[in-house]
Structures are given as C-alpha cells and as structure tokens.
Amino acid sequence: MPDDDLTRLRVVLTTFFALDGFVFAGWVVRIPDIKHQTHASVGSLGLALLGVSAGAVVTMTPTGRLCRRYGSHLVTVVCAVLLSLSVALPPLTHSAPALGAVLLVFGAAYGGINVAFNSAAVGLVAALRRPIMPSFHAAFSLGGMAGSGLGGLVAAHLSPARHLLGLTVIGLLVTAVAGRALLRHRPPVPASPGDPEHVRAERVEKPGSRRPGGHGRAVVLVLGLVALCTAYGEGAMADWGALHFQQDLDASAGVAAVGYSCFALAMTVGRLSGTVLLERLGRTRTIVGGGCVAAAGMLVGSLAPSVWAALLGFAVTGLGLANLFPVAVERAGALAGPGGVAIASTLGYGGMLLGPPAIGFMAGWLSLPAALTSVAVLAAVAAAIGFATRRATEA
C-alpha cells in the first residue's frame, strides 16, 4: 500500500477513535438528566449503568471473530452505525430496567467498535513500522473532551432527547463520510523484507491468519493483565477522585472536578507524546517507566495532605498510565490479530468494571485514601509484568 494511502487510512481511523470518545462522553454528561427522567434511585441507576460495561465485555470476543471473518474495516463501520443509533435510545426510557436494557445495546456497540478499530489500527501500526497506537487513543481522549464540553454547553438549552439525537445525526454523518473512505482501503499487513515490490504492494490482511500458539496465547493474557491494571486505575479515578478531594481534603466541588480533569488532561498529553516515547524507549521501558511513574503519582495523590500536592499526584498518575493500555492492546493484536485485541480489551474493561466497587469495598473497610493506593499497587504490577515479559513484548 503506498505511503499516501497509509496516511489517509491513519486519518480515517483517527476520526473513528475521536467519534467514539465524542459520542460516549456526550451520553455520560446527560446521565443526571436520564436519572431524573427514569425516577431511578442511586442503586437502580448503578445497576442500569452496568449494562454499558456488561454489553461491551460480552461483545468483545465475538467481535474479534467477526473481524477475522469479515475484516476489521467493515466491522468498524457497522459498529459505528450501531453506536450512533443506540446513543439516542436512553432518553426514550422511563424506568431503570428499560434503561439497563438499552444500555446493553449501547455497550455492545461501544465494545464492538473498540475491538474493531483497535484491530484495524494494529495492522496499520505494523504496516507503517512506527509505534503510533497512542495517537489513536489520544484522539479518543480528545473526542471525549469535545463531547463533554459540548454537552456541558447545550445541557441547559436542549433536552437529553434532542441532544443525544443530535449525536446520532453527527455520528451517522461522520460514519457515512469516514466509513466510505475506510471501506476503500483493504487492511494492510507488514511485508517481509524479501518480498518483491509488487507483492508487498498487494498483500492484505487475511482473516484468521494470526492465531497464537500456547506461548503466544499466554503472552496475550499477560498483556491483557496490563490493560486490566490500567483500566482499573482509570475507573477508580473517574468514580472516586472527586469524592477524595471533597471528603478527605475539604476541597470545594469545583476543585474536586479539577482533580479528575488534571488526570484526564495529563493522560491525553501523555498519549499525544506516546509515539515519540515509544520510538526512543521501546515498549518495555515505556510500560515499566509508565507503571512506576503512575504508582508514585498515585501514592502522592491519595496520601498527600494538601489539595495542590494531590492535584499534582493525579496529573502524574495520568501521565504514567497514558500509554500502558495502547501498548498492551497493540502488542496483543500483533501477536494474535483481532482475537488478541478482543482478549486484551475484555480484560481491560473487566478492570474498569472491577475498579469502582473494589475501591468502595476497601474504603468501607479501611479508608478512601488507603483504598486509592490500590491503583498504585496495580500500576506497579503492570510495570513488573512489563519487565517480566520484556522479550515477548519487544519481539
């Protein structure tokens, strides 16, 4: 595939990553309004929201198989359409059970598109022979910031139904344009150095061509644990960070919101610089260094007695965790194709699902600051895994 085609493919895939973050964040900012509309209690709303994670986790492995059979580009477009349509469903519900049901559909589309476009990105990374995976995840983060920002602006002027229907229209329009461009490109795979030039130009991804052996499957599972450790931290910071600032540091609600913003912004900056970092340090040093930095940052963020020290700790944690998930998913995909991406993503979302309730349990048993140190512990575990699997990771 010519370099210009690879560049265009990169732009198109980046668009889908950004669209995913944009649509998901747009839904998240309307959760309080949907809670009021459905008359859901805090407990019933929590159960309904589990539908997103449950739908995503259940769908990821089958999506890997679909990518093998039909190609990751087609599956990406189909899932983008489903995601855009399903985000308009929550405002149509009037009870917590109905909300949970439609969120299962939304979660399935969300999980499916994450496996599909990550699988497509893995092939492009291999074809370009540059570690650009973090840039795609940075696009997701930037899309999320744009979606939440727009949602905050229109929340006072548009009902949830009109706002989320607008997201559907935007999503379908973007998918129509970007999807057409994506389907024109066949997923690339790296050529062997000895291939003739005309063979290298014509090689495409063959479904089912990368099936891991026993050792490869074990490495993929271990990389999935790195993704789990990272996602555990992301989920914990999102759900418990603000409460830590208000309850333990006597911060105002505004400052508490800034705490998570520092974490999210630092993670975005870390991903934007991830390609350069990987080119200079390699995967192993990036995982080990990132895990150690995140562990140190979270110890400061959870145990520091002052607000400003905790804000710094949250930012350092975001920088440390930024590239662990992209590196784990990319390497799992390189070893096992879409199935590897599905395994790593499923374990990662399992960690995000596990994080908030685990923190809550430990906070009730010990204290919230002590519970948040588990994020540091798992970041250190990710660093240890990165070091232990250094040969397989760099191969």
Side-chain angles (χ1 to χ4, degrees):
M1 187 179 290
D3 290 344
D4 288 347
D5 285 348
L6 292 176
T7 300
R8 283 192 287 270
L9 179 56
R10 180 180 180 180
V11 171
V12 172
L13 284 176
T14 300
T15 301
F16 277 106
F17 273 83
L19 176 65
D20 186 38
F22 179 80
V23 171
F24 188 79
W27 142 249
V28 167
V29 299
R30 301 313 298 254
I31 288 176
D33 297 309
I34 300 298
K35 177 182 180 298
H36 177 73
Q37 175 182 304
T38 57
H39 307 288
S41 65
V42 174
S44 60
L45 177 65
L47 289 174
L49 292 177
L50 281 177
V52 178
S53 298
V57 168
V58 169
T59 306
M60 285 177 170
T61 298
T63 301
R65 298 193 189 103
L66 290 174
C67 289
R68 277 204 188 99
R69 183 169 183 178
Y70 299 106
S72 55
H73 290 185
L74 176 60
V75 178
T76 296
V77 174
V78 172
C79 289
V81 172
L82 293 176
L83 183 74
S84 300
L85 292 174
S86 61
V87 76
L89 296 178
L92 304 180
T93 62
H94 298 283
S95 68
L99 177 63
V102 301
L103 289 181
L104 278 171
V105 178
F106 179 67
Y110 180 71
I113 195 173
N114 273 269
V115 170
F117 61 35
N118 272 296
S119 299
V122 166
L124 181 57
V125 168
L128 288 172
R129 299 180 183 178
R130 288 194 67 208
I132 61 169
M133 195 69 164
S135 68
F136 293 119
H137 288 259
F140 172 84
S141 298
L142 290 171
M145 293 171 67
S148 59
L150 177 63
L153 289 174
V154 305
H157 307 287
L158 294 178
S159 67
R162 290 184 177 182
H163 175 203
L164 297 186
L165 181 61
L167 294 185
T168 294
V169 173
I170 292 172
L172 291 176
L173 287 175
V174 171
T175 301
V177 176
R180 185 178 179 184
L182 183 62
L183 293 176
R184 283 201 298 264
H185 295 283
R186 293 179 295 180
V189 296
S192 301
D195 283 346
E197 195 66 35
H198 70 280
V199 173
R200 280 193 262 177
E202 293 177 0
R203 291 184 69 194
V204 296
E205 179 184 24
K206 295 180 180 180
S209 60
R210 286 180 288 175
R211 295 183 181 274
H215 175 70
R217 189 177 295 109
V219 174
V220 168
L221 288 171
V222 170
L223 289 168
L225 291 178
V226 173
L228 184 152
C229 293
T230 305
Y232 176 98
E234 290 187 55
M237 298 289 272
D239 285 22
W240 294 100
L243 182 61
H244 169 58
F245 276 95
Q246 288 183 284
Q247 173 182 290
D248 302 312
L249 300 175
D250 296 321
S252 66
V255 173
V258 169
Y260 180 71
S261 298
C262 285
F263 171 80
L265 182 59
M267 179 169 277
T268 303
V269 171
R271 287 175 171 174
L272 286 172
S273 59
T275 296
V276 174
L277 195 68
L278 283 164
E279 287 177 332
R280 292 184 177 180
L281 301 180
R283 295 190 193 98
T284 297
R285 291 180 180 176
T286 299
I287 293 176
V288 174
C292 292
V293 167
M298 197 63 244
L299 287 175
V300 174
S302 59
L303 301 178
S306 71
V307 170
W308 295 111
L311 288 173
L312 177 61
F314 272 46
V316 171
T317 303
L319 284 173
L321 293 179
N323 295 304
L324 301 190
F325 191 96
V327 171
V329 170
E330 183 273 325
R331 188 56 189 154
L335 288 170
V341 173
I343 290 170
S345 298
T346 300
L347 286 171
Y349 279 89
M352 188 169 288
L353 196 62
L354 172 67
I359 295 289
F361 175 78
M362 287 185 285
W365 184 36
L366 300 169
S367 67
L368 183 53
L372 287 173
T373 61
S374 64
V375 175
V377 172
L378 287 186
V381 169
I385 291 173
F387 182 78
T389 60
R390 57 193 179 278
R391 291 183 180 179
T393 302
E394 294 292 351

